[in-house]
């Protein structure tokens, strides 16, 4: 009886991408080519205007590479470059490809060293986008760090996360973020839900967090859980302004790591979460004795050039829009009706 005074259970239904499909509707569109995927945004704090396709390659050292940014920028798609890229590499990249800076994020953690590195890189590159990335966006320290970053970079666009509930979205926006990253545990190489029991179904998280953000004129980025182009469409349909992809961009030529060939002649590339033991040993020398790793390492099938994948993703989104009569990506959420599906349909979907 005493326990009920301290814990509670929410009875509201929470849904993931696999729990729903998008209901088709009558449409006047004759072809996918009529669908406009580019969006235009004016950001809450920086008042900066940007236009492009709001998909972002995740800031993992496998996918958030300079090579990835060079290719995706051709499609007006963004890349959050990983935080271990050196200032010297950033300088060379920005000098040779200044046009790509508007499709690139400088990523940072929240340590004092991270902050000094961030200041150095932003000064060198004049890159307008900053990604503040931490597994637990609910810490008071993180909100304070967002405010500190906003004070230091009043003209930059700041994306901060990760969180999954509306009240923390509002807190980070009020602290200085323009975009809040949504997702705890849905990523393909994230084990937070297994190791900690903490998380939130991604579709419901997007819907609830987008509602909170848009009321303050802020934006949200869905991070994690997309495994097929239809999931990306569902994320946008649920209200996400941006969608960040890791696993879907993994295994390509533009990703870091060598190609591994197994005894059967199949080719792979190594892909791991940035909170995995492999990543922590690589960048910090060990896993701290006070924590558990919250990521795993996998060999993903080698997938050649990323251009094939991005074209497949964009084609899928365009097709979604034609099914519901949305001539622009901006209209997709207004045209969407989600329907819940049965467990049997879930198995087919997988």
């Amino acid at each position: 009886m005493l326990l009920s005074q301290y814990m509670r259970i929410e009875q509201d239904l929470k849904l993931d991408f696999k729990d729903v499909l998008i209901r088709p509707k009558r449409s006047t569109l004759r072809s996918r080519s009529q669908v406009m995927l580019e969006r235009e945004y004016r950001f809450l704090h920086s008042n900066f205007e940007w236009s492009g396709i709001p998909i972002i390659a995740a800031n993992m050292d496998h996918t958030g590479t300079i090579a990835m940014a060079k290719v995706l920028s051709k499609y007006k798609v963004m890349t959050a470059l990983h935080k271990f890229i050196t200032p010297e590499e950033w300088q060379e990249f920005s000098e040779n490809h200044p046009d790509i800076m508007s499709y690139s994020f400088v990523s940072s953690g929240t340590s004092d060293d991270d902050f000094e590195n961030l200041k150095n890189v932003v000064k060198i590159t004049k890159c307008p986008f900053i990604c503040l990335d931490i597994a637990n966006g609910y810490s008071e320290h993180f909100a304070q760090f967002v405010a500190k970053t906003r004070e230091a970079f009043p003209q930059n666009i700041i994306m901060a996360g990760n969180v999954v509930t509306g009240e923390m979205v509002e807190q980070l926006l009020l602290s200085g973020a323009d975009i809040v990253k949504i997702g705890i545990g849905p990523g393909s190489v994230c084990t937070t839900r297994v190791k900690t029991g903490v998380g939130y179904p991604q579709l419901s998280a997007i819907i609830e967090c987008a509602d909170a953000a848009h009321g303050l004129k802020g934006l949200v980025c869905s991070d994690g859980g997309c495994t097929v182009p239809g999931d990306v469409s569902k994320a946008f349909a649920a209200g996400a302004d941006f969608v960040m992809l890791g696993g879907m961009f993994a295994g390509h030529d533009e990703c870091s790591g060598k190609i591994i060939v197994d005894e059967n002649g199949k080719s792979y590339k190594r892909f791991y979460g940035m909170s995995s033991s492999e990543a922590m040993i690589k960048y910090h020398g060990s896993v701290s004795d006070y924590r558990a790793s919250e990521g795993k390492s996998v060999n993903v099938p080698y997938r050649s050039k990323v251009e094939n994948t991005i074209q497949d993703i964009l084609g899928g989104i365009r097709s979604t829009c034609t099914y519901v009569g949305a001539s622009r990506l901006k209209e997709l959420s207004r045209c969407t009706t989600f329907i819940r599906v049965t467990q049997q349909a879930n198995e087919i979907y997988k």
Side-chain angles (χ1 to χ4, degrees), residues 20-79:
V20 300
L21 290 171
I22 296 172
R23 191 181 74 186
K25 298 177 181 177
R26 292 181 64 183
S27 172
T28 60
L29 297 172
R30 297 170 61 91
S31 168
R32 299 171 190 171
S33 63
Q34 294 178 273
V35 176
M36 174 64 71
L37 294 185
E38 288 186 41
R39 292 207 58 179
E40 295 181 357
Y41 291 117
R42 180 186 291 273
F43 298 96
L44 174 62
H45 296 286
S46 65
N47 208 33
F48 181 89
E49 291 185 358
W50 176 87
S51 64
I53 297 177
I55 294 174
I56 308 170
N59 55 315
M60 309 165 86
D61 71 352
H62 183 68
T63 55
T65 66
I66 290 174
M68 184 71 74
K70 290 178 180 178
V71 175
L72 295 188
S73 65
K74 297 176 183 178
Y75 296 87
K76 298 187 178 181
V77 170
M78 307 188 79
T79 302

Side-chain angles (χ1 to χ4, degrees), residues 1-9:
M1 190 68 179
L2 290 175
L3 184 63
S4 63
Q5 298 178 23
Y6 300 99
M7 84 74 173
R8 60 191 295 266
I9 297 176

Side-chain angles (χ1 to χ4, degrees), residues 277-315:
S277 297
E278 187 167 345
M280 285 189 280
I281 291 171
K282 179 178 180 179
Y283 292 110
H284 305 293
S286 65
V287 180
S288 301
D289 57 9
Y290 59 84
R291 63 171 298 174
S293 67
E294 293 180 26
K296 62 182 178 180
S297 302
V298 296
N299 289 333
V300 296
Y302 169 62
R303 302 166 66 191
S304 187
K305 297 184 181 300
V306 75
E307 286 186 287
N308 300 324
T309 295
I310 190 61
Q311 289 173 359
D312 186 52
I313 293 170
L314 299 183

Side-chain angles (χ1 to χ4, degrees), residues 17 186 188 222 224-228 231-233 235 243-248:
F17 294 133
S188 60
S222 171
C226 292
T227 60
V228 293
D231 291 338
V232 183
S233 294
V243 177
M244 178 173 277
L245 303 175
M248 289 185 70

